[in-house]
Amino acid sequence: MNPKFNQMFEQVSLPTGITLKNRIVLAPMTHMSSNADGTISDAELAYYARRTGGAGMSITAVGHVTETGIGFPAQFGVYDDRFIPGLKKLAETIKQQGSVAVLQIFHAGRLTPEQAVPAGQVVAPSAVASERPGSPEPRELTDAEITSIIKDFGEATRRAIEAGFDGVEIHGANGYLIQQFFSPHSNRREDRWGGSVEKRLTFPLAVVDEIQKVVAEHTKLPFIIGYRFSPEEPETPGLTMEDTYALVDALKDKNLDYLHVSLNEFWSKPRRGEADTRSRMEFILDRVNGKLPVIGVGSIHTADQAAEALQTGVPLLAIGRELIIEPDWVEKIESGREEDIETILTKSDQERLVIPDGLWNAIIHTPGWFPMAEDK
């Protein structure tokens, strides 16, 4: 291995006591390939078996904690005990490859497709539609419903424990329900769940507390709890870096195992509110100040790009689209074959790369999402 990549392969010990074999994380990526009844499919098991061998930790695609919290077609559920057998197969598949297995969980909130829920009952903190084209106006959640959803996150965590996962990642990013409660755009409430920044933090922190309580009750083994967040929103009003600092300050005192920053581009700059030219990742690392590990992510394709990102001091680096294109990315760097890494897909690559139909169709029909070339 080229010595300049040595840092990538250093072990990382998480606060809970679990040690990762290297600094590389398989990023959570929607694959739209679960069975129609929300159970884990053979296709997604094969997908994970193919690309989790090199990563120190692998975070699954997201599962929804309530039946009406689904966000995508062909998504797996974690809202009922009938899903545990399939989840157990998924955890075993990842761990057999030598990677730590983390289950990502969420509720889509106002981003739930209307056709996916009974009578189109899309719900959110407030009756404010997303600015995404075609978004419906959601129904405002009642206080009792909010309390129930918090319990649902705890129950999903219990199922993750029973299925043999090493941890869960709370998906508080990308505009889904947890972020909706924190955002001034989607949360216009004036009760205990909204208003000031502190009150908008009530729901996210209650989810963390509930999950930690469930973990303490259901396992004596080390169990990872991570939290993923998006640092800003484009909307006005929307989340700013100042809001993000308040979130980070609250989370870093919660004895979590890591914070995962959701970005399309690792080196992206703040939209507003910061005078200097550093990246969002660098601002966030400063704010966390080493209190707990941070996972960075965003358009990292080559070994050199990964090494440069790690020079910021970020402890862990999540690789997403590149591990779809090149499942042996980590292994090739470790064996000194980084020049052989593929960074472009061709239209004949699906079978070779073990990409399920749902994900492959999304890749093919979403221009610009993946770099594509003509068949070789």
Side-chain angles (χ1 to χ4, degrees), residues 154-376:
E155 281 292 279
T157 301
R158 173 185 61 78
R159 295 180 188 108
I161 293 168
E162 292 183 14
F165 279 93
D166 298 303
V168 294
E169 178 173 281
I170 302 164
H171 195 353
N174 298 6
Y176 298 118
L177 185 69
I178 294 176
Q179 182 175 323
Q180 289 165 28
F181 268 95
F182 185 46
S183 169
H185 184 276
S186 43
N187 186 350
R188 312 291 175 91
R189 303 177 74 100
E190 297 180 354
D191 58 4
R192 61 175 175 149
W193 305 106
S196 65
V197 171
E198 291 75 20
K199 285 191 172 183
R200 286 188 278 114
L201 278 168
T202 302
F203 181 83
L205 297 181
V207 169
V208 172
D209 290 342
E210 179 67 18
I211 287 174
Q212 289 179 325
K213 179 173 75 73
V214 167
V215 170
E217 290 172 351
H218 289 276
T219 183
K220 290 182 167 54
L221 297 174
F223 191 82
I224 295 164
I225 304 174
Y227 189 106
R228 194 176 203 209
F229 65 94
S230 297
E232 288 183 287
E233 293 177 326
E235 296 89 357
T236 302
L239 292 175
T240 65
M241 290 301 293
E242 283 300 319
D243 292 315
T244 295
Y245 298 151
L247 175 67
V248 168
D249 288 346
L251 292 174
K252 71 184 184 183
D253 292 329
K254 281 291 186 181
N255 298 315
L256 295 168
D257 285 281
Y258 66 82
L259 298 180
H260 187 176
V261 186
S262 182
L263 291 170
N264 285 325
E265 167 56 54
F266 184 92
W267 297 104
S268 63
K269 304 291 194 295
R271 295 175 183 276
R272 52 186 178 256
E274 292 293 354
D276 70 38
T277 59
R278 289 182 300 164
S279 66
R280 291 164 167 148
M281 276 303 313
E282 290 167 303
F283 281 114
I284 290 165
L285 286 170
D286 277 357
R287 196 72 182 199
V288 174
N289 195 29
K291 191 77 180 283
L292 75 168
V294 175
I295 301 176
V297 69
S299 300
I300 302 294
H301 292 282
T302 68
D304 284 332
Q305 288 172 341
E308 183 183 5
L310 287 171
Q311 287 303 305
T312 63
V314 67
L316 295 163
L317 193 62
I319 308 296
R321 286 169 290 178
E322 181 56 34
L323 276 172
I324 294 176
I325 299 169
E326 178 55 89
D328 300 317
W329 190 86
V330 180
E331 292 91 336
K332 285 185 175 180
I333 297 171
E334 193 168 19
S335 61
R337 295 182 294 135
E338 62 273 8
E339 298 301 322
D340 297 334
I341 287 173
E342 298 284 351
T343 58
I344 297 175
L345 284 173
T346 71
K347 292 183 178 179
S348 61
D349 279 338
Q350 181 184 7
E351 184 176 352
R352 178 178 67 85
L353 297 177
V354 194
I355 299 175
D357 289 343
L359 176 56
W360 185 252
N361 289 333
I363 290 170
I364 293 298
H365 295 107
T366 310
W369 187 26
F370 278 73
M372 297 287 294
E374 295 302 317
D375 290 344
K376 298 173 184 176

Side-chain angles (χ1 to χ4, degrees), residues 28 40 48 57-65 76-78 83 87-88 90-91 94 100-106 155-161 163-171 211 223-226 258:
I40 300 294
Y48 283 107
M57 181 166 71
S58 296
I59 306 170
T60 70
V62 71
H64 46 114
V65 303
F76 67 82
V78 289
F83 297 116
L87 293 170
K88 185 174 182 180
L90 178 54
I94 294 171
V100 170
V102 173
L103 179 71
Q104 192 186 62
I105 54 177
F106 88 147
E155 281 292 279
T157 301
R158 173 185 61 78
R159 295 180 188 108
I161 293 168
F165 279 93
D166 298 303
V168 294
E169 178 173 281
I170 302 164
H171 195 353
I211 287 174
F223 191 82
I224 295 164
I225 304 174
Y258 66 82

